[in-house]
Amino acid sequence: ASLEGRFESDEFPEVLQFLFASRKTGRVVVDDGAGRRGFVAVAEGNVVEATLGARFGDVTLAANAVLMNFQMFMAHALDGFAHAVQALAGGAIGARNRAAFRGAVMSSTVWAGLVAFGFALVYAVLGEAIVRGLTDIAEVRSEALRYLPWSIAMPVFSVWAYQLDGIFIAGTRGADMRNAMLISLLVYFLASHLLVPAWGNHGLWLALFVFMVARGMTLGMRYPRLERSIEEGEIWRMTG
């Protein structure tokens, strides 16, 4: 069977089937059963898929999709801390207790950072074995291992964006989150435009790193204002 035909079969991981279906049809279709896995594939994995497309070929596309599973594993864990800080920081905001808010943010962020470093360590030690477990196609394995270092480093760079998302959701700062995402997307498109022609798929992964760092930085720059607003009552107003 052809390489693409194998990706469409039931023997291959769901994310790869999802990406190849969207590549062929030009549409992204996620059924209810896919749930969060499909959403993460759209939000992160499909960024890589849509940018590469046919430019780097099916093998590189498949290798990227395999490695995006590493990001999905990480996302499930780090989202747990984001949900925790939403609840704890939200309660502190409701009580207008800045000290409790700061304590919730600090404790959850420290634990999220430790878990992110833990994921990076596991990926460094077991990454090759995980790749082999996700695909039995030798050429895809070999290509995925070329770019594995990006997946190893990604948790350390992306954890701050996940955590800040939870903090800003707790503060009902939707406008800040929207603006940060728009700025980060612009930065990503600029970075990919500059880096992909120069470094190919490595450049695309670097652009994704830039995107995650930009998300963390743009929200981080707004964090002091969020914290200051708690005792002033400003938190109850939607800001633009």
Side-chain angles (χ1 to χ4, degrees), residues 4-228:
E4 186 164 339
R6 294 193 65 183
F7 291 145
E8 295 169 339
S9 68
D10 291 338
E11 70 180 273
F12 216 76
E14 177 183 352
V15 171
L16 288 183
Q17 297 177 43
F18 174 85
L19 290 179
F20 268 84
S22 63
R23 178 170 180 252
K24 288 182 65 180
T25 63
R27 300 188 303 272
V28 175
V29 179
V30 183
D31 58 51
D32 292 338
R36 179 166 178 76
R37 289 171 298 171
F39 176 79
V40 174
V42 173
E44 294 186 336
N46 208 48
V47 172
V48 175
E49 188 275 337
T51 305
L52 284 177
R55 181 181 301 180
F56 298 128
D58 287 347
V59 174
T60 301
L61 168 64
N64 283 338
V66 167
L67 293 176
M68 290 314 298
N69 279 280
F70 286 64
Q71 312 316 315
M72 291 177 68
F73 301 151
M74 173 196 70
H76 282 294
L78 296 185
D79 267 353
F81 293 99
H83 290 313
V85 78
Q86 285 177 41
L88 296 173
I93 289 171
R96 301 193 181 190
N97 187 331
R98 184 185 297 177
F101 174 83
R102 187 180 295 129
V105 168
M106 290 297 296
S107 61
S108 61
T109 301
V110 167
W111 279 105
L114 291 174
V115 169
F117 276 97
F119 266 93
L121 180 60
V122 169
Y123 288 166
V125 175
L126 300 176
E128 182 173 352
I130 296 172
V131 168
R132 292 183 181 278
L134 290 171
T135 175
D136 61 354
I137 302 175
E139 55 200 308
V140 176
R141 284 179 174 176
S142 177
E143 187 76 355
L145 292 177
R146 287 182 58 196
Y147 304 108
L148 179 61
W150 295 107
S151 288
I152 293 173
M154 184 67 80
V156 177
F157 286 84
S158 61
V159 59
W160 320 114
Y162 283 96
Q163 191 69 3
L164 283 163
D165 276 347
I167 294 167
F168 276 75
I169 290 172
T172 64
R173 293 300 179 102
D176 285 338
M177 295 180 68
R178 175 202 63 206
N179 296 339
M181 179 59 75
L182 289 175
I183 293 170
S184 300
L185 282 173
L186 289 174
V187 170
Y188 168 77
F189 289 133
L190 177 62
S192 61
H193 178 75
L194 296 174
L195 297 172
V196 171
W199 294 326
N201 197 44
H202 283 295
L204 186 73
W205 278 97
L206 179 56
L208 187 59
F209 265 67
V210 171
F211 169 70
M212 296 305 297
V213 171
R215 283 189 63 208
M217 290 182 63
T218 50
L219 287 175
M221 291 172 63
R222 301 290 290 179
Y223 174 80
R225 181 183 177 188
L226 171 60
E227 186 176 286
R228 288 195 305 269

